[in-house]
Amino acid sequence: MTTWDGFHAFATTPVAAPPPPDAPSRSLEERLAYHSRFVTVRTPAIDTLAKNVRTLMILGRHQTVTARPSLIVTGPAGAGKTTALLQVGRACHLAHTRRHGAAATAGQAPVAYVLVPPAASAKTLATEFARYLGIPVTAGMSQAQITGAVCHTYTAARVQLVMIDEIHRLNPRTTSGAQSADLIKDLTERIGATFVYAGIDVTTTPLFTGVRGAQLAGRASLIDCTVFPACLGDEEPFRDLITAMESALDLRHHRPGTLPRLVPYLHERTASRIGSLARLIRQAAITALIDGTERITKTTLDAIRLDHLAEQHHRPSGQPRSNRSP
């Protein structure tokens, strides 16, 4: 995903979809592969991010003097930040191709997706930007040379949206973190693209501190990708999410309505985190296919071992754990 070829393949591969009601039954292997990929349910976070990205791209389309306004997606681990980021990136890529045609966009890369490396220095971060578009980098190149090559190539490739994930890894209070923050500021001013960042609880990190943090905070809007509440006014977003996931299952004996009836259990079991919920349902579906039951029950769900954060929430420290199969 952090190379143009990988992102292009992701963006252009048809998304997983449940079979139409009148479609022939798929084989076991096809259904195992389907539940491994599974559908991406459109969440409020994806809708909000998509709307804001589109608006900011239009807003900054003719802005050439200063850096364009940007966005930061924040929230706890497992809240769906990266999923939202990638879905918006896919939509931007496909919209660009539809608007200009495949032939006209050959050699162009409208979207870039870069991960901030752990303990990133300005040079290693610049190298990640170079790696995405396959820009050759040699050991003897300076940071300034790599940055110049990145800015030239990204401009030539008509990159319009730059997505930087794991932004919480940057700490402007350290020398390397400050230099990396300066690099990103430099890139935003030299590449005519809209920048969108994503990171874990960035408002509690040093990212917004000091002069550099103030500059970022003054240019970036914040989108909070929170965990899914059980209730929001008269709405029940967590139930709606579960219902959408259940309707996408391809299991021959599953009873519709089973999972929505388990909303309180699922909300507690997954700590209301969409990442844990998606993993739980996908893993339960694959288990149901392998053991031949072809349905998901509470017994099936309770036998799944989830990520440590969800398990700790479900069984607080000090509470004995039953022997559950992985």
Side-chain angles (χ1 to χ4, degrees):
M1 199 72 72
T2 54
T3 65
W4 166 241
D5 289 340
F7 184 84
H8 181 267
F10 160 76
T12 56
T13 299
V15 297
D22 56 347
S25 179
R26 297 193 282 194
S27 70
L28 175 62
E29 285 303 317
E30 288 174 324
R31 290 185 296 140
L32 285 171
Y34 165 70
H35 287 101
S36 176
R37 293 179 59 201
F38 208 45
V39 298
T40 299
V41 177
R42 196 162 182 96
T43 64
I46 294 177
D47 289 336
T48 300
L49 181 59
K51 180 180 178 180
N52 278 273
V53 166
R54 184 172 183 271
T55 301
L56 289 188
M57 289 179 73
I58 295 172
L59 179 65
R61 186 171 292 165
H62 302 291
Q63 185 170 330
T64 57
V65 178
T66 59
R68 301 179 180 195
S70 57
L71 285 170
I72 296 179
V73 184
T74 183
K81 299 179 298 299
T82 296
T83 298
L85 205 63
L86 292 175
Q87 292 306 312
V88 170
R90 181 210 293 270
C92 178
H93 172 88
L94 295 177
H96 180 80
T97 304
R98 285 194 303 269
R99 187 162 54 247
H100 300 288
T105 56
Q108 296 182 13
V111 179
Y113 177 70
V114 176
L115 288 178
V116 176
S121 67
K123 187 172 183 178
T124 58
L125 183 55
T127 301
E128 286 300 302
F129 276 89
R131 189 171 69 87
Y132 181 80
L133 285 187
I135 302 169
V137 174
T138 63
M141 292 177 68
S142 67
Q143 176 205 321
Q145 289 173 320
I146 299 171
T147 302
V150 165
C151 293
H152 171 77
T153 307
Y154 275 54
T155 301
R158 297 187 64 184
V159 175
Q160 299 175 7
L161 177 64
V162 177
M163 305 183 299
I164 305 178
D165 210 347
E166 307 289 349
I167 194 69
H168 58 271
R169 290 175 172 172
L170 286 186
N171 183 359
R173 292 176 179 171
T174 66
T175 301
S176 61
Q179 292 170 349
S180 297
D182 286 343
L183 169 68
I184 291 178
K185 180 178 180 294
D186 189 25
L187 294 176
T188 63
E189 293 172 347
R190 296 174 62 183
I191 299 173
T194 297
F195 280 66
V196 180
Y197 314 93
I200 298 173
D201 296 330
V202 296
T203 55
T204 65
T205 70
L207 193 62
F208 286 154
T209 60
V211 174
R212 293 173 179 86
Q215 287 178 326
L216 179 61
R219 291 176 173 176
S221 304
L222 204 65
I223 294 179
D224 198 353
C225 194
T226 60
V227 294
F228 260 67
C231 297
L232 190 62
D234 295 331
E235 299 179 348
E236 297 182 87
F238 197 74
R239 180 184 294 274
D240 294 341
L241 179 64
I242 291 170
T243 301
M245 287 185 175
E246 184 182 66
S247 67
L249 293 172
D250 191 6
L251 299 174
R252 292 170 183 166
H253 305 308
H254 183 78
R255 296 178 180 177
T258 299
L259 297 184
R261 284 193 291 271
L262 295 174
V263 164
Y265 163 79
L266 290 170
H267 196 265
E268 167 68 21
R269 181 75 203 281
T270 63
S272 68
R273 293 161 61 238
I274 188 172
S276 298
L277 177 66
R279 174 178 169 178
L280 178 62
I281 292 178
R282 289 166 55 218
Q283 199 165 334
I286 290 171
T287 298
L289 287 169
I290 292 173
D291 65 21
T293 59
E294 296 267 355
R295 63 177 179 270
I296 298 176
T297 65
K298 186 174 182 297
T299 301
T300 313
L301 295 167
D302 219 19
I304 303 297
R305 179 166 294 173
L306 271 179
D307 57 272
H308 185 63
L309 278 177
E311 293 292 348
Q312 286 297 100
H313 179 83
H314 187 51
R315 284 184 172 78
S317 179
Q319 182 175 337
R321 176 188 295 278
S322 59
N323 291 325
R324 294 190 293 168
S325 57

